[in-house]
């Protein structure tokens, strides 16, 4: 009779129970040699020790494995829901924190909780005028006397007040304080040491100086557009983007020349 190969399951059963007989699918059981039985017994002991060491290693590794679930700290929601004024949309006052509703509320909250914030910071006009000594420079250049020479004195300025009030200029200025203080004032005040000498020289000459300056600025704008000059490193049309500054400056200079021509006695 031909013996069948010893299966792995039968081998494990043999090792665990220290048996000396194996089963065969077509043969009767047979007795093992005593020396072979001793070797199998020793191998069984080594297998058990190996299994014990492997189980210990796995248990130790699992103890140092980080937990998959991490406790999260509850944070307030900063999601902003807009209804864009539609009645059928969600009520943003119910599902949005109050400090996020509107720019005014946000600025108020920043002003109450953050000192010297960039959002509410204003350009200190009086401080910078004092530091740059602009009033002394104005007196030194004799700008007021030159304005009077061209017909612009206090009486003339007073006559303009009713027209200014009728046009609503004061209300426009009051409604755009942030833009004027943080946008226009820094340019005017910081550039005053360079602009005032030019104004003094133009007032010394009179209205023709303003007309010439307006013509020169307009000529520069025309040259940029005609020659398709590009801004370096950017590649944009200089005539288009610089024109946002040059065209209004041309109107201001031309308007100043016309105003001085009509005021001159």
């Amino acid at each position: 009779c031909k013996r069948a190969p010893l299966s792995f399951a039968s081998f494990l059963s043999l090792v665990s129970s220290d048996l000396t007989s194996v089963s065969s699918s077509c043969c009767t059981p047979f007795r093992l040699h005593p020396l072979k039985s001793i070797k199998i017994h020793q191998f069984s002991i080594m297998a058990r020790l190996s299994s014990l060491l492997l189980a210990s290693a796995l248990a130790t590794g699992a103890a140092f494995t980080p937990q998959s679930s991490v406790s999260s700290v509850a944070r307030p929601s900063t999601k902003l829901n807009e209804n864009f004024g539609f009645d059928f949309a969600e009520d943003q006052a119910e599902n949005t924190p109050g400090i996020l509703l509107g720019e005014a509320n946000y600025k108020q909250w920043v002003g109450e909780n953050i000192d010297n914030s960039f959002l509410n910071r204003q350009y200190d006009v009086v401080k910078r005028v004092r530091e740059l000594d602009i009033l002394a420079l104005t007196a030194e250049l004799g700008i007021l006397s030159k304005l009077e020479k061209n017909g612009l004195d206090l009486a003339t300025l007073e006559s303009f007040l009713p027209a200014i009030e009728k046009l609503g200029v004061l209300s426009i200025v009051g409604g755009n304080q942030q833009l004027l203080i943080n946008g226009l004032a820094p340019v005017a005040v910081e550039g005053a040491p360079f602009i005032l000498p030019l104004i003094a020289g133009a007032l010394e000459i009179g209205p023709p100086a303003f007309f010439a300056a307006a013509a020169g600025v307009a000529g520069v704008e025309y040259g940029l557009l005609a020659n398709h000059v590009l801004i370096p490193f950017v590649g944009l049309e200089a005539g288009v983007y610089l024109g946002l500054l040059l065209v209004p400056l041309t109107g201001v200079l031309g308007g100043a020349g016309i105003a001085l021509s009509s005021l001159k006695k």
Side-chain angles (χ1 to χ4, degrees):
C1 178
K2 185 178 179 181
R3 293 189 180 90
L6 183 66
S7 65
F8 183 70
S10 300
F11 177 76
L12 291 180
S13 176
L14 177 64
V15 170
S16 60
S17 60
D18 297 331
L19 298 177
T20 59
S21 60
V22 294
S23 299
S24 177
S25 59
C26 64
C27 296
T28 60
F30 62 91
R31 301 290 296 179
L32 290 176
H33 193 274
L35 293 178
K36 292 184 178 180
S37 176
I38 294 174
K39 291 182 179 180
I40 292 175
H41 181 68
Q42 292 176 350
F43 182 79
S44 174
I45 295 175
M46 294 299 297
R48 291 176 181 178
L49 290 176
S50 300
S51 301
L52 180 61
L53 291 176
L54 179 60
S56 300
L58 293 176
T60 305
F64 290 95
T65 303
Q67 297 294 332
S68 59
S69 60
V70 180
S71 58
S72 58
V73 180
R75 302 180 62 182
S77 175
T78 57
K79 182 180 179 181
L80 179 61
N81 299 279
E82 291 284 353
N83 57 13
F84 300 101
F86 294 110
D87 297 334
F88 56 84
E90 296 181 355
D91 187 3
Q92 59 186 12
E94 294 182 358
N95 53 24
T96 305
I99 61 174
L100 299 179
L101 290 177
E103 182 180 357
N105 292 340
Y106 179 66
K107 287 184 176 181
Q108 181 180 359
W109 180 85
V110 171
E112 294 175 353
N113 294 273
I114 303 177
D115 296 333
N116 195 26
S117 64
F118 182 77
L119 182 64
N120 293 324
R121 189 181 306 168
Q122 290 188 350
Y123 180 75
D124 196 339
V125 179
V126 177
K127 179 181 178 182
R128 290 301 295 161
V129 168
R130 188 184 301 112
E131 291 175 349
L132 296 175
D133 205 8
I134 294 177
L135 297 179
L137 180 61
T138 303
E140 180 183 349
L141 295 174
I143 293 179
L144 296 180
S145 61
K146 292 176 181 179
L147 286 173
E148 291 181 357
K149 181 181 176 181
N150 285 275
L152 186 61
D153 51 13
L154 293 178
T156 306
L157 290 176
E158 187 177 356
S159 64
F160 291 155
L161 294 179
I164 293 175
E165 184 178 359
K166 184 177 181 180
L167 294 174
V169 176
L170 297 179
S171 62
I172 295 176
V173 172
N176 297 275
Q177 292 183 11
Q178 286 291 110
L179 177 61
L180 295 176
I181 294 176
N182 294 327
L184 183 60
V187 177
V189 175
E190 300 298 331
F194 309 98
I195 298 174
L196 288 178
L198 299 177
I199 295 177
L203 290 174
E204 184 69 26
I205 299 173
F210 291 92
F211 290 134
V217 174
V220 171
E221 173 64 15
Y222 175 77
L224 294 176
L225 290 174
N227 296 287
H228 301 285
V229 178
L230 301 178
I231 301 176
F233 308 109
V234 180
L236 300 175
E237 286 285 344
V240 176
Y241 292 94
L242 293 180
L244 299 175
L245 174 64
L246 297 178
V247 172
L249 183 59
T250 301
V252 170
L253 293 173
I258 295 173
L260 291 178
S261 299
S262 61
L263 292 175
K264 196 167 185 179
K265 300 177 182 178

